[in-house]
Amino acid sequence: MTTKQELVERVRSAEGSIGLVMTMGALHEGHRRLVDAARAECETVVVSIYVNPLQFAPGEDFDAYPRDLEKDLAMLEDVDIVFAPSDEEMYGRAPLVTINPGEVATRYEGRTRPTHFAGVLQVVAKVLNLVRPDRAYFGRKDAQQLALVTTMVADLDMGVEIVGVPIVRDTDGLALSSRNAYLSPEERTAALALVRALTSAREAAAGGPEAAQKALTESLEAADGVDVDYATIVDAGTFLGVSSNARSGLAIVAARVGATRLIDNMEVSFG
């Protein structure tokens, strides 16, 4: 692993393009897909592993969040640089200058977790500034995060290409997530209602946004063991609502299954 100073020195001396993958550890095949995308396009691949306390509100699962650094490192044997800092090395002290993620961050995930995206953008900005990659790779499962990171990089002229990598799903269709480890077998079966609802929305989308929304809502209302937080159709780039003449959108859902909160999304095409 690499200290912050070593990270800076190594990326400054690297030849060719640099690809960055930011993770919170507990790596699975979805993370590996991000690394593979970076490996295919960049000469040097940097992976960060850091469970960022700023994006967890009091009472959330920061302390319980799965951590297995030894297993993570075994999955990253072909990575050029692994940066797994401590809280002290990452922040040193509570930040005095912070990032305001804007109005979009108050919707959906931001409504449920009002401090979350400010913490996400704070750590993303720090690591982007340390590594200064040519490209940074983020999974499309965290679609609102991807939209906000892309907007931050564009609005602040950070000079990084943000690459969205498609969702990786298990054989039963459930989107891969580190939090899936919390699910009991019965809860995992119940959680499949999310992907079924998204698929229903995609299939109904030929009738337009209202038809897609209706299919999404009705599918989730018929599901057992799923406590829905939100389920709607948004513009994938802005996370605002879609217009009646939009050609495409993103069906998004968040729900609790047992004690575990899951998110998922699926692109939909209208008309």
Side-chain angles (χ1 to χ4, degrees), residues 199-244:
T199 302
S200 295
R202 184 183 63 189
E203 292 172 349
E210 291 185 2
Q213 180 66 62
K214 183 173 184 289
L216 180 65
T217 301
E218 290 180 350
S219 180
L220 288 168
E221 287 177 346
D224 294 326
V226 177
D227 182 11
V228 178
D229 182 354
Y230 59 78
T232 192
I233 313 294
V234 298
D235 180 282
T238 65
F239 258 67
L240 302 175
V242 294
S243 64
S244 59

mmCIF file of all heavy atoms in Angstrom, residues 199-244:
data_model
loop_
_atom_site.group_PDB
_atom_site.id
_atom_site.type_symbol
_atom_site.label_atom_id
_atom_site.label_comp_id
_atom_site.label_asym_id
_atom_site.label_seq_id
_atom_site.Cartn_x
_atom_site.Cartn_y
_atom_site.Cartn_z
ATOM 1 N N THR A 199 -37.472 -3.612 -14.320
ATOM 2 C CA THR A 199 -37.691 -4.267 -15.604
ATOM 3 C C THR A 199 -39.098 -3.976 -16.122
ATOM 4 O O THR A 199 -39.304 -3.736 -17.315
ATOM 5 C CB THR A 199 -37.468 -5.783 -15.475
ATOM 6 O OG1 THR A 199 -36.134 -6.028 -15.006
ATOM 7 C CG2 THR A 199 -37.658 -6.478 -16.808
ATOM 8 N N SER A 200 -40.079 -3.969 -15.213
ATOM 9 C CA SER A 200 -41.449 -3.627 -15.610
ATOM 10 C C SER A 200 -41.515 -2.211 -16.165
ATOM 11 O O SER A 200 -42.195 -1.954 -17.166
ATOM 12 C CB SER A 200 -42.395 -3.760 -14.411
ATOM 13 O OG SER A 200 -42.484 -5.110 -13.984
ATOM 14 N N ALA A 201 -40.804 -1.280 -15.524
ATOM 15 C CA ALA A 201 -40.783 0.096 -16.008
ATOM 16 C C ALA A 201 -40.150 0.184 -17.386
ATOM 17 O O ALA A 201 -40.656 0.901 -18.269
ATOM 18 C CB ALA A 201 -40.030 0.985 -15.019
ATOM 19 N N ARG A 202 -39.073 -0.537 -17.579
ATOM 20 C CA ARG A 202 -38.404 -0.517 -18.888
ATOM 21 C C ARG A 202 -39.316 -1.074 -19.969
ATOM 22 O O ARG A 202 -39.396 -0.520 -21.073
ATOM 23 C CB ARG A 202 -37.116 -1.336 -18.820
ATOM 24 C CG ARG A 202 -36.288 -1.297 -20.104
ATOM 25 C CD ARG A 202 -35.071 -2.173 -19.988
ATOM 26 N NE ARG A 202 -35.437 -3.574 -19.804
ATOM 27 C CZ ARG A 202 -34.570 -4.541 -19.504
ATOM 28 N NH1 ARG A 202 -33.285 -4.262 -19.328
ATOM 29 N NH2 ARG A 202 -34.982 -5.776 -19.350
ATOM 30 N N GLU A 203 -40.019 -2.145 -19.663
ATOM 31 C CA GLU A 203 -40.900 -2.757 -20.660
ATOM 32 C C GLU A 203 -42.104 -1.874 -20.969
ATOM 33 O O GLU A 203 -42.615 -1.892 -22.094
ATOM 34 C CB GLU A 203 -41.355 -4.127 -20.159
ATOM 35 C CG GLU A 203 -40.201 -5.133 -20.094
ATOM 36 C CD GLU A 203 -40.597 -6.437 -19.423
ATOM 37 O OE1 GLU A 203 -41.695 -6.480 -18.815
ATOM 38 O OE2 GLU A 203 -39.810 -7.403 -19.483
ATOM 39 N N ALA A 204 -42.560 -1.100 -19.987
ATOM 40 C CA ALA A 204 -43.730 -0.240 -20.190
ATOM 41 C C ALA A 204 -43.363 1.112 -20.792
ATOM 42 O O ALA A 204 -44.257 1.873 -21.181
ATOM 43 C CB ALA A 204 -44.449 -0.023 -18.857
ATOM 44 N N ALA A 205 -42.075 1.422 -20.877
ATOM 45 C CA ALA A 205 -41.637 2.766 -21.253
ATOM 46 C C ALA A 205 -41.992 3.137 -22.685
ATOM 47 O O ALA A 205 -41.997 4.322 -23.029
ATOM 48 C CB ALA A 205 -40.130 2.905 -21.041
ATOM 49 N N ALA A 206 -42.300 2.171 -23.524
ATOM 50 C CA ALA A 206 -42.736 2.502 -24.883
ATOM 51 C C ALA A 206 -43.965 3.395 -24.857
ATOM 52 O O ALA A 206 -44.210 4.165 -25.790
ATOM 53 C CB ALA A 206 -43.020 1.229 -25.678
ATOM 54 N N GLY A 207 -44.738 3.317 -23.782
ATOM 55 C CA GLY A 207 -45.927 4.153 -23.641
ATOM 56 C C GLY A 207 -45.644 5.524 -23.073
ATOM 57 O O GLY A 207 -46.574 6.297 -22.848
ATOM 58 N N GLY A 208 -44.369 5.830 -22.803
ATOM 59 C CA GLY A 208 -43.983 7.144 -22.297
ATOM 60 C C GLY A 208 -43.662 7.131 -20.816
ATOM 61 O O GLY A 208 -43.819 6.112 -20.124
ATOM 62 N N PRO A 209 -43.190 8.275 -20.285
ATOM 63 C CA PRO A 209 -42.785 8.349 -18.871
ATOM 64 C C PRO A 209 -43.878 7.977 -17.884
ATOM 65 O O PRO A 209 -43.608 7.307 -16.888
ATOM 66 C CB PRO A 209 -42.368 9.821 -18.715
ATOM 67 C CG PRO A 209 -41.984 10.265 -20.087
ATOM 68 C CD PRO A 209 -42.895 9.525 -21.018
ATOM 69 N N GLU A 210 -45.123 8.396 -18.147
ATOM 70 C CA GLU A 210 -46.197 8.086 -17.205
ATOM 71 C C GLU A 210 -46.460 6.586 -17.136
ATOM 72 O O GLU A 210 -46.711 6.041 -16.046
ATOM 73 C CB GLU A 210 -47.467 8.834 -17.585
ATOM 74 C CG GLU A 210 -47.375 10.337 -17.381
ATOM 75 C CD GLU A 210 -48.692 11.031 -17.653
ATOM 76 O OE1 GLU A 210 -49.681 10.326 -17.961
ATOM 77 O OE2 GLU A 210 -48.738 12.274 -17.552
ATOM 78 N N ALA A 211 -46.390 5.911 -18.260
ATOM 79 C CA ALA A 211 -46.605 4.462 -18.271
ATOM 80 C C ALA A 211 -45.487 3.750 -17.525
ATOM 81 O O ALA A 211 -45.721 2.782 -16.787
ATOM 82 C CB ALA A 211 -46.692 3.957 -19.713
ATOM 83 N N ALA A 212 -44.271 4.225 -17.722
ATOM 84 C CA ALA A 212 -43.134 3.622 -17.014
ATOM 85 C C ALA A 212 -43.267 3.816 -15.512
ATOM 86 O O ALA A 212 -43.028 2.890 -14.720
ATOM 87 C CB ALA A 212 -41.827 4.227 -17.523
ATOM 88 N N GLN A 213 -43.662 5.025 -15.102
ATOM 89 C CA GLN A 213 -43.836 5.303 -13.673
ATOM 90 C C GLN A 213 -44.931 4.419 -13.072
ATOM 91 O O GLN A 213 -44.780 3.881 -11.978
ATOM 92 C CB GLN A 213 -44.183 6.772 -13.474
ATOM 93 C CG GLN A 213 -44.397 7.168 -12.015
ATOM 94 C CD GLN A 213 -43.130 7.070 -11.203
ATOM 95 O OE1 GLN A 213 -42.156 7.747 -11.464
ATOM 96 N NE2 GLN A 213 -43.135 6.194 -10.193
ATOM 97 N N LYS A 214 -46.029 4.277 -13.795
ATOM 98 C CA LYS A 214 -47.143 3.459 -13.308
ATOM 99 C C LYS A 214 -46.700 2.008 -13.106
ATOM 100 O O LYS A 214 -47.008 1.385 -12.072
ATOM 101 C CB LYS A 214 -48.298 3.517 -14.298
ATOM 102 C CG LYS A 214 -49.566 2.775 -13.883
ATOM 103 C CD LYS A 214 -50.687 3.071 -14.874
ATOM 104 C CE LYS A 214 -52.007 2.417 -14.449
ATOM 105 N NZ LYS A 214 -51.960 0.953 -14.597
ATOM 106 N N ALA A 215 -45.960 1.452 -14.063
ATOM 107 C CA ALA A 215 -45.504 0.071 -13.955
ATOM 108 C C ALA A 215 -44.538 -0.092 -12.795
ATOM 109 O O ALA A 215 -44.598 -1.085 -12.048
ATOM 110 C CB ALA A 215 -44.837 -0.357 -15.264
ATOM 111 N N LEU A 216 -43.653 0.872 -12.603
ATOM 112 C CA LEU A 216 -42.684 0.826 -11.507
ATOM 113 C C LEU A 216 -43.403 0.830 -10.164
ATOM 114 O O LEU A 216 -43.119 -0.003 -9.280
ATOM 115 C CB LEU A 216 -41.743 2.028 -11.624
ATOM 116 C CG LEU A 216 -40.650 2.182 -10.564
ATOM 117 C CD1 LEU A 216 -39.652 1.039 -10.642
ATOM 118 C CD2 LEU A 216 -39.927 3.521 -10.749
ATOM 119 N N THR A 217 -44.349 1.747 -10.007
ATOM 120 C CA THR A 217 -45.070 1.881 -8.741
ATOM 121 C C THR A 217 -45.902 0.636 -8.438
ATOM 122 O O THR A 217 -45.868 0.103 -7.316
ATOM 123 C CB THR A 217 -45.983 3.124 -8.786
ATOM 124 O OG1 THR A 217 -45.185 4.287 -9.017
ATOM 125 C CG2 THR A 217 -46.751 3.277 -7.492
ATOM 126 N N GLU A 218 -46.660 0.177 -9.419
ATOM 127 C CA GLU A 218 -47.544 -0.964 -9.182
ATOM 128 C C GLU A 218 -46.769 -2.236 -8.872
ATOM 129 O O GLU A 218 -47.199 -3.048 -8.037
ATOM 130 C CB GLU A 218 -48.453 -1.165 -10.393
ATOM 131 C CG GLU A 218 -49.487 -0.063 -10.552
ATOM 132 C CD GLU A 218 -50.391 -0.276 -11.752
ATOM 133 O OE1 GLU A 218 -50.088 -1.191 -12.575
ATOM 134 O OE2 GLU A 218 -51.400 0.450 -11.880
ATOM 135 N N SER A 219 -45.626 -2.430 -9.526
ATOM 136 C CA SER A 219 -44.828 -3.621 -9.255
ATOM 137 C C SER A 219 -44.325 -3.628 -7.810
ATOM 138 O O SER A 219 -44.366 -4.655 -7.126
ATOM 139 C CB SER A 219 -43.655 -3.695 -10.229
ATOM 140 O OG SER A 219 -42.873 -4.845 -9.990
ATOM 141 N N LEU A 220 -43.876 -2.486 -7.326
ATOM 142 C CA LEU A 220 -43.370 -2.415 -5.957
ATOM 143 C C LEU A 220 -44.494 -2.511 -4.933
ATOM 144 O O LEU A 220 -44.314 -3.093 -3.850
ATOM 145 C CB LEU A 220 -42.580 -1.122 -5.766
ATOM 146 C CG LEU A 220 -41.221 -1.099 -6.468
ATOM 147 C CD1 LEU A 220 -40.648 0.299 -6.471
ATOM 148 C CD2 LEU A 220 -40.250 -2.076 -5.811
ATOM 149 N N GLU A 221 -45.660 -1.965 -5.261
ATOM 150 C CA GLU A 221 -46.802 -2.074 -4.335
ATOM 151 C C GLU A 221 -47.226 -3.519 -4.144
ATOM 152 O O GLU A 221 -47.749 -3.890 -3.079
ATOM 153 C CB GLU A 221 -47.974 -1.244 -4.863
ATOM 154 C CG GLU A 221 -47.769 0.260 -4.710
ATOM 155 C CD GLU A 221 -48.912 1.053 -5.314
ATOM 156 O OE1 GLU A 221 -49.711 0.457 -6.075
ATOM 157 O OE2 GLU A 221 -49.008 2.265 -5.032
ATOM 158 N N ALA A 222 -46.975 -4.361 -5.132
ATOM 159 C CA ALA A 222 -47.366 -5.770 -5.042
ATOM 160 C C ALA A 222 -46.301 -6.627 -4.356
ATOM 161 O O ALA A 222 -46.523 -7.820 -4.127
ATOM 162 C CB ALA A 222 -47.630 -6.315 -6.447
ATOM 163 N N ALA A 223 -45.146 -6.033 -4.040
ATOM 164 C CA ALA A 223 -44.035 -6.805 -3.478
ATOM 165 C C ALA A 223 -44.169 -6.941 -1.970
ATOM 166 O O ALA A 223 -44.592 -6.005 -1.278
ATOM 167 C CB ALA A 223 -42.711 -6.129 -3.829
ATOM 168 N N ASP A 224 -43.805 -8.093 -1.452
ATOM 169 C CA ASP A 224 -43.793 -8.333 -0.011
ATOM 170 C C ASP A 224 -42.381 -8.139 0.546
ATOM 171 O O ASP A 224 -41.390 -8.465 -0.105
ATOM 172 C CB ASP A 224 -44.247 -9.765 0.294
ATOM 173 C CG ASP A 224 -45.707 -9.995 -0.066
ATOM 174 O OD1 ASP A 224 -46.503 -9.043 0.083
ATOM 175 O OD2 ASP A 224 -46.033 -11.116 -0.508
ATOM 176 N N GLY A 225 -42.314 -7.607 1.761
ATOM 177 C CA GLY A 225 -41.032 -7.495 2.448
ATOM 178 C C GLY A 225 -40.154 -6.369 1.956
ATOM 179 O O GLY A 225 -38.953 -6.353 2.236
ATOM 180 N N VAL A 226 -40.744 -5.403 1.236
ATOM 181 C CA VAL A 226 -39.968 -4.296 0.678
ATOM 182 C C VAL A 226 -40.594 -2.984 1.143
ATOM 183 O O VAL A 226 -41.766 -2.715 0.860
ATOM 184 C CB VAL A 226 -39.942 -4.352 -0.864
ATOM 185 C CG1 VAL A 226 -39.205 -3.155 -1.432
ATOM 186 C CG2 VAL A 226 -39.303 -5.651 -1.332
ATOM 187 N N ASP A 227 -39.829 -2.174 1.862
ATOM 188 C CA ASP A 227 -40.292 -0.875 2.338
ATOM 189 C C ASP A 227 -39.676 0.191 1.438
ATOM 190 O O ASP A 227 -38.496 0.525 1.557
ATOM 191 C CB ASP A 227 -39.850 -0.678 3.791
ATOM 192 C CG ASP A 227 -40.345 0.631 4.381
ATOM 193 O OD1 ASP A 227 -41.189 1.291 3.745
ATOM 194 O OD2 ASP A 227 -39.862 1.022 5.460
ATOM 195 N N VAL A 228 -40.477 0.717 0.507
ATOM 196 C CA VAL A 228 -39.967 1.614 -0.539
ATOM 197 C C VAL A 228 -39.712 3.010 0.018
ATOM 198 O O VAL A 228 -40.562 3.597 0.690
ATOM 199 C CB VAL A 228 -40.950 1.684 -1.725
ATOM 200 C CG1 VAL A 228 -40.444 2.665 -2.790
ATOM 201 C CG2 VAL A 228 -41.148 0.297 -2.323
ATOM 202 N N ASP A 229 -38.537 3.543 -0.280
ATOM 203 C CA ASP A 229 -38.183 4.917 0.051
ATOM 204 C C ASP A 229 -38.594 5.828 -1.109
ATOM 205 O O ASP A 229 -39.348 6.779 -0.931
ATOM 206 C CB ASP A 229 -36.678 5.007 0.314
ATOM 207 C CG ASP A 229 -36.230 6.399 0.725
ATOM 208 O OD1 ASP A 229 -37.054 7.326 0.704
ATOM 209 O OD2 ASP A 229 -35.043 6.573 1.054
ATOM 210 N N TYR A 230 -38.115 5.540 -2.301
ATOM 211 C CA TYR A 230 -38.558 6.265 -3.489
ATOM 212 C C TYR A 230 -38.482 5.342 -4.686
ATOM 213 O O TYR A 230 -37.720 4.368 -4.700
ATOM 214 C CB TYR A 230 -37.729 7.536 -3.745
ATOM 215 C CG TYR A 230 -36.238 7.294 -3.943
ATOM 216 C CD1 TYR A 230 -35.732 6.829 -5.148
ATOM 217 C CD2 TYR A 230 -35.336 7.567 -2.920
ATOM 218 C CE1 TYR A 230 -34.375 6.608 -5.327
ATOM 219 C CE2 TYR A 230 -33.983 7.355 -3.086
ATOM 220 C CZ TYR A 230 -33.500 6.884 -4.299
ATOM 221 O OH TYR A 230 -32.164 6.669 -4.467
ATOM 222 N N ALA A 231 -39.287 5.647 -5.694
ATOM 223 C CA ALA A 231 -39.286 4.902 -6.950
ATOM 224 C C ALA A 231 -39.848 5.835 -8.009
ATOM 225 O O ALA A 231 -41.031 6.179 -7.976
ATOM 226 C CB ALA A 231 -40.137 3.636 -6.844
ATOM 227 N N THR A 232 -39.002 6.271 -8.930
ATOM 228 C CA THR A 232 -39.451 7.275 -9.889
ATOM 229 C C THR A 232 -38.586 7.238 -11.138
ATOM 230 O O THR A 232 -37.622 6.486 -11.226
ATOM 231 C CB THR A 232 -39.421 8.674 -9.237
ATOM 232 O OG1 THR A 232 -40.115 9.600 -10.068
ATOM 233 C CG2 THR A 232 -37.997 9.149 -9.004
ATOM 234 N N ILE A 233 -38.954 8.090 -12.100
ATOM 235 C CA ILE A 233 -38.226 8.204 -13.362
ATOM 236 C C ILE A 233 -37.588 9.591 -13.410
ATOM 237 O O ILE A 233 -38.285 10.600 -13.204
ATOM 238 C CB ILE A 233 -39.159 8.036 -14.582
ATOM 239 C CG1 ILE A 233 -40.085 6.824 -14.407
ATOM 240 C CG2 ILE A 233 -38.336 7.941 -15.858
ATOM 241 C CD1 ILE A 233 -39.389 5.489 -14.394
ATOM 242 N N VAL A 234 -36.292 9.667 -13.670
ATOM 243 C CA VAL A 234 -35.587 10.949 -13.705
ATOM 244 C C VAL A 234 -34.738 11.051 -14.962
ATOM 245 O O VAL A 234 -34.512 10.068 -15.673
ATOM 246 C CB VAL A 234 -34.675 11.121 -12.465
ATOM 247 C CG1 VAL A 234 -35.492 11.123 -11.191
ATOM 248 C CG2 VAL A 234 -33.586 10.041 -12.422
ATOM 249 N N ASP A 235 -34.259 12.259 -15.216
ATOM 250 C CA ASP A 235 -33.243 12.478 -16.237
ATOM 251 C C ASP A 235 -31.909 11.974 -15.684
ATOM 252 O O ASP A 235 -31.500 12.360 -14.585
ATOM 253 C CB ASP A 235 -33.155 13.975 -16.558
ATOM 254 C CG ASP A 235 -32.114 14.290 -17.615
ATOM 255 O OD1 ASP A 235 -30.912 14.302 -17.269
ATOM 256 O OD2 ASP A 235 -32.483 14.506 -18.779
ATOM 257 N N ALA A 236 -31.227 11.130 -16.429
ATOM 258 C CA ALA A 236 -30.013 10.494 -15.917
ATOM 259 C C ALA A 236 -28.884 11.480 -15.661
ATOM 260 O O ALA A 236 -28.041 11.261 -14.778
ATOM 261 C CB ALA A 236 -29.536 9.416 -16.898
ATOM 262 N N GLY A 237 -28.838 12.574 -16.412
ATOM 263 C CA GLY A 237 -27.753 13.529 -16.256
ATOM 264 C C GLY A 237 -27.959 14.523 -15.144
ATOM 265 O O GLY A 237 -27.018 14.895 -14.442
ATOM 266 N N THR A 238 -29.208 14.958 -14.948
ATOM 267 C CA THR A 238 -29.495 16.012 -13.976
ATOM 268 C C THR A 238 -30.189 15.517 -12.710
ATOM 269 O O THR A 238 -30.197 16.203 -11.692
ATOM 270 C CB THR A 238 -30.396 17.083 -14.612
ATOM 271 O OG1 THR A 238 -31.676 16.486 -14.922
ATOM 272 C CG2 THR A 238 -29.762 17.646 -15.876
ATOM 273 N N PHE A 239 -30.808 14.366 -12.773
ATOM 274 C CA PHE A 239 -31.643 13.821 -11.696
ATOM 275 C C PHE A 239 -32.855 14.710 -11.408
ATOM 276 O O PHE A 239 -33.439 14.674 -10.327
ATOM 277 C CB PHE A 239 -30.833 13.531 -10.433
ATOM 278 C CG PHE A 239 -30.530 12.059 -10.300
ATOM 279 C CD1 PHE A 239 -29.679 11.436 -11.206
ATOM 280 C CD2 PHE A 239 -31.107 11.294 -9.320
ATOM 281 C CE1 PHE A 239 -29.410 10.089 -11.122
ATOM 282 C CE2 PHE A 239 -30.856 9.944 -9.220
ATOM 283 C CZ PHE A 239 -30.004 9.325 -10.129
ATOM 284 N N LEU A 240 -33.241 15.495 -12.401
ATOM 285 C CA LEU A 240 -34.513 16.203 -12.362
ATOM 286 C C LEU A 240 -35.547 15.357 -13.089
ATOM 287 O O LEU A 240 -35.217 14.325 -13.675
ATOM 288 C CB LEU A 240 -34.361 17.572 -13.017
ATOM 289 C CG LEU A 240 -33.295 18.486 -12.389
ATOM 290 C CD1 LEU A 240 -33.149 19.757 -13.210
ATOM 291 C CD2 LEU A 240 -33.629 18.799 -10.938
ATOM 292 N N GLY A 241 -36.808 15.780 -13.067
ATOM 293 C CA GLY A 241 -37.841 15.014 -13.735
ATOM 294 C C GLY A 241 -37.677 15.020 -15.244
ATOM 295 O O GLY A 241 -37.016 15.898 -15.818
ATOM 296 N N VAL A 242 -38.255 14.025 -15.888
ATOM 297 C CA VAL A 242 -38.191 13.957 -17.346
ATOM 298 C C VAL A 242 -39.405 14.674 -17.930
ATOM 299 O O VAL A 242 -40.490 14.668 -17.344
ATOM 300 C CB VAL A 242 -38.137 12.502 -17.860
ATOM 301 C CG1 VAL A 242 -36.842 11.836 -17.447
ATOM 302 C CG2 VAL A 242 -39.327 11.694 -17.363
ATOM 303 N N SER A 243 -39.218 15.295 -19.088
ATOM 304 C CA SER A 243 -40.328 15.973 -19.754
ATOM 305 C C SER A 243 -41.192 14.950 -20.483
ATOM 306 O O SER A 243 -40.777 13.808 -20.716
ATOM 307 C CB SER A 243 -39.786 17.005 -20.747
ATOM 308 O OG SER A 243 -39.057 16.365 -21.775
ATOM 309 N N SER A 244 -42.373 15.368 -20.863
ATOM 310 C CA SER A 244 -43.303 14.457 -21.526
ATOM 311 C C SER A 244 -42.810 14.019 -22.899
ATOM 312 O O SER A 244 -43.238 12.990 -23.409
ATOM 313 C CB SER A 244 -44.677 15.126 -21.664
ATOM 314 O OG SER A 244 -44.564 16.326 -22.407
#
